[in-house]
Amino acid sequence: MATISPGGAYIGTPTPFLGKKLKPFSLTQTISTSKPTVNKLCRAQAHLIDAVHNLFLGVGVGLPCTVMECGDMIYRSTLPKSNGLTITAPGVALALTALSYLWATPGVAPGFFDMFVLAFVERLFRPTFRKDDFVLGKKLGEGSFGVVYRASLSKKRANDDGEYVVKKATEYGAVEIWMNERVRRACGNSCADFVYGFLEKSSKKGPEYWLLWKYEGESTLAGLLQSKDFPYNVETIILGKVQDLPKGLERENIVIQTIMRQLLFALDGLHSTGIVHRDVKPQNIIFSEGSRAFKIIDLGAAADLRVGINYIPKEFLLDPRYAAPEQYIMSTQTPSAPSAPVAAALSPVLWQMNLPDRFDIYSIGLIFLQMAFPSLRSDSNLIQFNRQLKRCDYDLTAWRKLVEPRAGPDLRKGFELLDLDGGIGWELLTSMVRFKARQRISAKAALAHPYFDRQGLLALSVMQNMRMQYFRATQQDYSEAANWVIQLMARSGTEKDGGFTETQLQELREKEPRKKASAQRNALASALRLKRKLVKTVAETIDEIADGRKTVWWNRWIPREE
Ligand SMILES: Nc1ncnc2c1ncn2[C@@H]1O[C@H](COP(=O)(O)OP(=O)(O)OP(=O)(O)O)[C@@H](O)[C@H]1O
């Protein structure tokens, strides 16, 4: 209970808080006591201060003297010694909430540890390289922003077989070095083994970024998919032996399952650390001969949503063959990433609001589709499929109804493969290839899908069946319910009373696919568009670097060759 002393001093006496009697305390505050109404006000104010004080004391948050129960300066020496931290239920709940926020994807706390501890330690111990350490060999690829070579060391080093890949990149190489270093620390097995990156200024063409990876092998998933022998050509390299099964759907299914599991595993690693690749396609998946697994390459278009690097909401980077219909990984209403510490603090909220990882999931779904349907492995057929799917409002079941009655042997084979084990493969596929990002499964949830239980649906245990039911329940379309809630909110929303107005809500609603496709684009036009977008996005990123807005967050980590 709080009282006002004749002199206007406010004295707080202990009040029970959650059944616990708290130690006495006092606060001195000058309050006029001349009028009764003012007295009432003062008492109310005193109650309020009392309650707030007790709340903070209860949850263990406050100034040292209140928390440590040390009383007035005058009487402090007479008080019993503090018995340490008081653990209360609200305190524990608050702490748990704070911890789960800090550890929620993309991980604010692990991010700080990574940036301020791991990155520094790594810099002390990692081997460094210079341009002269390498002899460049065969050209492996050339993209819009760099050339990739196979390379070997000019002088052998201990414990080094000397097989490398070097990418000489333009300005955007800085972003790619940042992403590769982040990945190496957070989920090294997801991507090709990154060794080192530096800025080389002595080149005649101007400054160039050199990126070094271990040479993983010569096969990309794109190359393997083009072989008539797929998936048997992958079977031996991935499983290490030929399966004791006759050639047929069941055997092919096992190989495809293994590839899918590896791809989802790699993607889950990236997403868990807040990186969205944005350019997942068979050309960017390499088979690592050393670890007998598929790994992701080419992080040049990736966005690090933990600190907002390479993330520009109104721009997108995409290969039209594999891109999700939303084109943007974040809502265009989301503001451009603020400074890195602020972006990091807000990242769990933005991640949950936008679920940007589902952009990559759509691309993986299309790769799954290509593995199952031989006829969709060529570029032209994939582009045609994309058009058909768009006409079906991105509903795979509707597409199936459209094409199955007049399907050729290749298409029928795909449906049969996905229908094995009670259609569990088809179910996984349809949970990845969906119009709305929010309804797509995450990489982690996909890995737990019964499709990956070796024996299939029929052999599922009771527990697994329950998990399956749970999975199906969580895959329901709840957008109608969400719309209903939005409607309710709309009714109460006016300019005067607050809440959301109709116009504001309109922006919140997800846009449905347009029924009619716009003018049909051919593959060349799409490729040109992609290139233009890439150039524009990189230009914007470079502008940001030039502005000095983001330089600190990646450029300063990159060693320079003077
Ligand atoms: N670690 C690696 N090990 C073996 N080969 C690699 C490795 N990294 C890249 N490659 C090869 O180099 C090619 C080009 O690599 P990457 O996609 O990263 O470059 P890029 O400049 O972005 O090219 P593009 O724009 O054509 O994708 C790949 O298709 C792959 O064949």
Side-chain angles (χ1 to χ4, degrees):
M1 191 66 184
T3 54
I4 310 291
S5 78
Y10 163 73
I11 301 162
T13 50
T15 42
F17 185 82
L18 293 169
K20 188 176 184 297
K21 192 129 173 132
L22 301 166
K23 296 269 176 210
F25 68 95
S26 78
L27 277 174
T28 305
Q29 188 177 330
T30 311
I31 300 169
S32 161
T33 53
S34 55
K35 291 183 183 169
T37 41
V38 176
N39 259 341
K40 264 190 201 165
L41 268 176
C42 290
R43 260 197 296 278
Q45 189 185 6
H47 276 298
L48 187 68
I49 295 172
D50 199 15
V52 171
H53 173 270
N54 284 342
L55 173 72
F56 278 101
L57 195 60
V59 296
V61 181
L63 296 169
C65 262
T66 52
V67 173
M68 291 162 69
E69 305 172 16
C70 44
D72 276 348
M73 288 287 268
I74 302 158
Y75 302 112
R76 194 172 295 162
S77 59
T78 61
L79 288 170
K81 279 225 151 88
S82 163
N83 53 2
L85 192 72
T86 315
I87 297 173
T88 62
V92 171
L94 196 70
L96 284 179
T97 312
L99 279 181
S100 33
Y101 182 81
L102 291 176
W103 261 266
T105 311
V108 180
F112 275 86
F113 182 72
D114 175 68
M115 195 169 298
F116 298 112
V117 181
L118 285 185
F120 278 109
V121 173
E122 193 186 44
R123 281 184 107 179
L124 297 177
F125 295 105
R126 72 180 170 192
T128 56
F129 293 88
R130 300 160 59 87
K131 179 185 166 193
D132 300 337
D133 292 330
F134 294 96
V135 180
L136 298 187
K138 190 180 155 201
K139 195 195 256 189
L140 294 174
E142 182 164 4
S144 312
F145 305 103
V147 188
V148 182
Y149 301 91
R150 195 165 168 175
S152 54
L153 284 176
S154 48
K155 272 191 225 135
K156 287 262 174 281
R157 295 185 182 198
N159 301 328
D160 199 335
D161 60 7
E163 290 273 19
Y164 288 91
V165 166
V166 170
K167 186 186 266 190
K168 290 205 263 174
T170 51
E171 300 92 324
Y172 97 116
V175 180
E176 201 172 348
I177 292 177
W178 167 273
M179 297 293 168
N180 274 281
E181 295 208 331
R182 277 269 282 108
V183 166
R184 183 177 55 189
R185 292 192 297 270
C187 51
N189 292 330
S190 292
C191 293
D193 190 359
F194 184 69
V195 182
Y196 194 62
F198 58 90
L199 177 64
E200 168 60 51
K201 285 189 167 167
S202 67
S203 162
K204 281 179 217 134
K205 289 188 221 155
E208 275 178 340
Y209 287 94
W210 280 51
L211 290 90
L212 311 173
W213 291 268
K214 285 273 181 196
Y215 180 74
E216 298 282 2
E218 58 179 10
S219 314
T220 60
L221 184 58
L224 293 164
L225 263 177
Q226 290 314 314
S227 163
K228 277 208 156 28
D229 209 22
F230 184 86
Y232 299 104
N233 57 346
V234 179
E235 183 179 56
T236 33
I237 60 171
I238 210 171
L239 299 174
K241 59 178 173 66
V242 175
Q243 295 177 86
D244 193 16
L245 279 171
K247 274 196 170 184
L249 285 181
E250 209 182 315
R251 188 164 149 191
E252 291 179 19
N253 194 32
I254 292 174
V255 182
I256 293 175
Q257 266 176 356
T258 313
I259 300 173
M260 279 303 290
R261 192 190 290 114
Q262 292 186 352
L263 298 184
L264 286 166
F265 178 80
L267 216 51
D268 180 39
L270 287 184
H271 293 167
S272 303
T273 194
I275 291 178
V276 182
H277 188 281
R278 299 199 287 193
D279 198 16
V280 174
K281 55 185 178 183
Q283 290 77 0
N284 283 340
I285 294 166
I286 194 140
F287 184 75
S288 166
E289 289 163 8
S291 31
R292 277 225 195 114
F294 284 98
K295 292 183 173 182
I296 295 171
I297 56 171
D298 198 357
L299 294 167
D304 182 349
L305 297 171
R306 206 185 245 175
V307 280
I309 286 180
N310 220 11
Y311 155 58
I312 302 149
K314 291 203 169 59
E315 253 331 317
F316 56 91
L317 295 141
L318 59 96
D319 182 325
R321 292 167 300 175
Y322 294 91
E326 65 266 24
Q327 300 182 335
Y328 309 100
I329 56 164
M330 304 282 261
S331 151
T332 49
Q333 311 296 321
T334 311
S336 194
S339 66
V342 180
L346 293 177
S347 59
V349 179
L350 287 179
W351 186 278
Q352 281 312 316
M353 277 169 64
N354 295 283
L355 297 179
D357 54 321
R358 308 302 204 267
F359 187 90
D360 289 343
I361 292 295
Y362 187 92
S363 312
I364 286 281
L366 289 191
I367 296 174
F368 188 14
L369 200 88
Q370 284 192 298
M371 290 198 284
F373 295 93
S375 56
L376 299 184
R377 289 177 199 160
S378 74
D379 275 353
S380 53
N381 284 359
L382 182 62
I383 290 166
Q384 202 194 339
F385 162 80
N386 280 333
R387 284 192 195 133
Q388 281 179 341
L389 191 63
K390 191 172 179 182
R391 277 201 293 275
C392 297
D393 294 342
Y394 296 91
D395 180 350
L396 264 184
T397 314
W399 171 77
R400 184 171 182 163
K401 276 190 197 136
L402 179 79
V403 298
E404 204 169 16
R406 52 190 167 86
D410 268 3
L411 267 188
R412 239 179 289 127
K413 186 182 168 191
F415 287 125
E416 278 171 33
L417 185 134
L418 293 167
D419 283 345
L420 287 176
D421 298 323
I424 199 108
W426 176 255
E427 183 159 334
L428 177 63
L429 177 69
T430 50
S431 64
M432 293 173 144
V433 182
R434 286 189 174 160
F435 177 73
K436 289 180 186 170
R438 191 156 282 283
Q439 286 167 10
R440 283 176 222 143
I441 193 171
S442 69
K444 208 179 278 325
L447 280 170
H449 190 276
Y451 173 70
F452 295 109
D453 282 315
R454 264 281 157 92
Q455 311 309 319
L457 195 63
L458 295 176
L460 293 184
S461 65
V462 179
M463 279 309 288
Q464 286 168 322
N465 256 314
M466 278 169 64
R467 210 175 70 202
M468 182 68 195
Q469 295 309 324
Y470 170 75
F471 170 78
R472 285 180 176 155
T474 54
Q475 288 297 300
Q476 296 297 317
D477 184 351
Y478 292 117
S479 55
E480 283 310 310
N483 274 341
W484 180 72
V485 174
I486 287 175
Q487 287 300 340
L488 283 183
M489 288 157 74
R491 270 178 224 156
S492 61
T494 60
E495 286 289 334
K496 194 162 143 274
D497 300 331
F500 290 105
T501 61
E502 255 309 315
T503 335
Q504 287 165 330
L505 287 165
Q506 203 57 43
E507 285 167 11
L508 288 174
R509 287 194 191 101
E510 287 185 79
K511 285 186 199 118
E512 290 296 334
R514 270 181 288 152
K515 286 274 183 250
K516 243 183 159 342
S518 55
Q520 297 213 331
R521 290 168 294 164
N522 60 30
L524 184 65
S526 303
L528 284 172
R529 210 164 77 103
L530 168 68
K531 198 174 167 193
R532 273 203 304 275
K533 289 288 173 194
L534 273 166
V535 173
K536 202 170 161 209
T537 304
V538 170
E540 283 202 33
T541 309
I542 300 305
D543 281 352
E544 287 193 330
I545 296 170
D547 281 358
R549 270 185 283 156
K550 294 196 172 172
T551 313
V552 282
W553 290 105
W554 68 77
N555 254 7
R556 77 166 178 197
W557 307 102
I558 297 165
R560 278 145 216 268
E561 278 270 284
E562 299 300 342

